[in-house]
Amino acid sequence: TQVLRKSLQRGFVLSTGSFLVYEAHKLISGFAEVHASFRVEDVIEQADYLYGSGETEKLYRLLVQHKNSDDAELLWRLARSSRDLAQLGSTSAEEKRQLTYDSLEYAKKALEKNESNFAAHKWYGICLSDVGDYEGIKTKIGNAIVIKEHFQRAVELNPKDATTIHLIGIWCYSFAEMPWYQRKIAATLFATPPTSTFQEALHYFHMAEEADPNFYSKNLLFLGKTYLKLNNKKMALLWLSKAKEYPAQTEEDKQV
């Protein structure tokens, strides 16, 4: 009986030891799984799904956890989501301002991490332009050349990105339409102030449409507006009709 008792006790100790080893293994495996879930590829895949689903707030909450990342792909997406959150009607004026400046910092960091990332250039240009809305017309015009350079670099890196081509068109349209007092400011900031024409803007809007037909309601709108500036009412009507018939999915589409 005593031998049997000792054998049972020994078995219990061995079983307990095996159980503890098993639990430790499970715990370590669990940590490994959690760590694996934060792989950059996984976060990007989840982020792109949320972006495609229009889940602006969820997307921001996901990406802001990675604001100290060294990965440019995560950082430019965080810049974009910060800006998108700032654009929501439910965002307060104070939050909007903070998010606008944050988005520029994230885009800047993305560029520092990977200068060859086209989206980092694109979103740096967009966010720099947004910050100009808070810092006045002088700063906005002063940043204009830098903004265009980043858009052009983005197109060099990815010639098929219709949105960036559209943004260069917007840049050209804005300078073609610039009122005299803003031109005066530009003349004080640059030895040769940046200029453009409606014809140049039209070229980029058409280029964007060729790269990705019907990709963006605003590109259709600006094709119409630019043709109006060029006194071509027939072509203006064509593109404005397309803009009007565009299936509105976002708040911006509705405004267009």
Side-chain angles (χ1 to χ4, degrees):
T1 306
Q2 194 174 359
V3 171
L4 181 61
R5 190 183 298 118
K6 284 184 177 179
S7 295
L8 288 170
Q9 286 173 342
R10 184 169 174 272
F12 176 75
V13 170
L14 286 171
S15 298
T16 304
S18 300
F19 174 76
L20 289 171
V21 169
Y22 172 69
E23 285 300 307
H25 171 72
K26 279 209 306 182
L27 189 62
I28 291 165
S29 298
F31 278 128
E33 285 171 13
V34 170
H35 181 70
S37 72
F38 283 100
R39 288 190 315 137
V40 169
E41 295 84 356
D42 295 338
V43 178
I44 288 173
E45 186 178 350
Q46 192 179 352
D48 289 348
Y49 173 78
L50 290 171
Y51 181 75
S53 305
E55 295 281 2
T56 305
E57 293 177 17
K58 284 183 185 176
L59 175 59
Y60 175 77
R61 287 198 298 271
L62 169 70
L63 290 174
V64 79
Q65 298 175 71
H66 304 280
K67 64 182 180 181
N68 296 318
S69 171
D70 289 331
D71 192 280
E73 289 291 330
L74 279 178
L75 290 166
W76 75 253
R77 282 173 171 82
L78 176 55
R80 179 182 66 183
S81 72
S82 301
R83 182 182 186 271
D84 286 349
L85 188 59
Q87 302 294 316
L88 292 183
S90 57
T91 304
S92 71
E94 188 179 339
E95 288 171 326
K96 182 181 172 72
R97 181 187 175 93
Q98 185 61 54
L99 286 163
T100 301
Y101 279 89
D102 286 348
S103 65
L104 179 60
E105 284 305 307
Y106 300 140
K108 182 180 177 183
K109 191 177 175 186
L111 267 182
E112 289 168 357
K113 299 302 176 185
N114 186 358
E115 200 277 337
S116 297
N117 187 300
F118 92 92
H121 283 281
K122 169 181 171 177
W123 286 99
Y124 182 79
I126 292 169
C127 296
L128 185 60
S129 178
D130 288 346
V131 164
D133 293 337
Y134 288 99
E135 299 195 348
I137 192 66
K138 191 172 181 179
T139 299
K140 199 166 180 71
I141 293 171
N143 288 335
I145 290 177
V146 176
I147 290 166
K148 190 180 183 186
E149 284 172 353
H150 281 284
F151 289 158
Q152 288 173 326
R153 179 65 178 140
V155 172
E156 284 172 17
L157 292 165
N158 184 2
K160 294 190 179 296
D161 185 56
T163 311
T164 311
I165 301 168
H166 163 82
L167 289 168
I168 299 175
I170 293 288
W171 190 99
C172 294
Y173 186 97
S174 300
F175 272 90
E177 195 183 39
M178 185 177 281
W180 67 268
Y181 67 90
Q182 290 185 9
R183 291 185 190 280
K184 247 185 147 177
I185 294 170
T188 66
L189 296 173
F190 302 101
T192 307
T195 58
S196 191
T197 63
F198 291 117
Q199 200 65 51
E200 189 179 7
L202 188 70
H203 165 72
Y204 283 108
F205 294 139
H206 273 298
M207 252 182 83
E209 208 59 33
E210 285 165 19
D212 190 1
N214 214 40
F215 75 104
Y216 188 26
S217 59
K218 202 169 179 181
N219 199 61
L220 302 174
L221 173 67
F222 270 87
L223 275 161
K225 288 179 72 170
T226 309
Y227 272 116
L228 271 179
K229 292 287 186 182
L230 295 168
N231 295 314
N232 188 334
K233 291 183 180 179
K234 183 180 177 182
M235 290 301 291
L237 181 61
L238 171 70
W239 290 104
L240 292 173
S241 297
K242 288 186 178 187
K244 184 175 180 294
E245 291 158 12
Y246 192 89
Q249 295 176 332
T250 67
E251 194 58 40
E252 187 176 48
D253 292 336
K254 291 171 188 172
Q255 289 170 4
V256 164

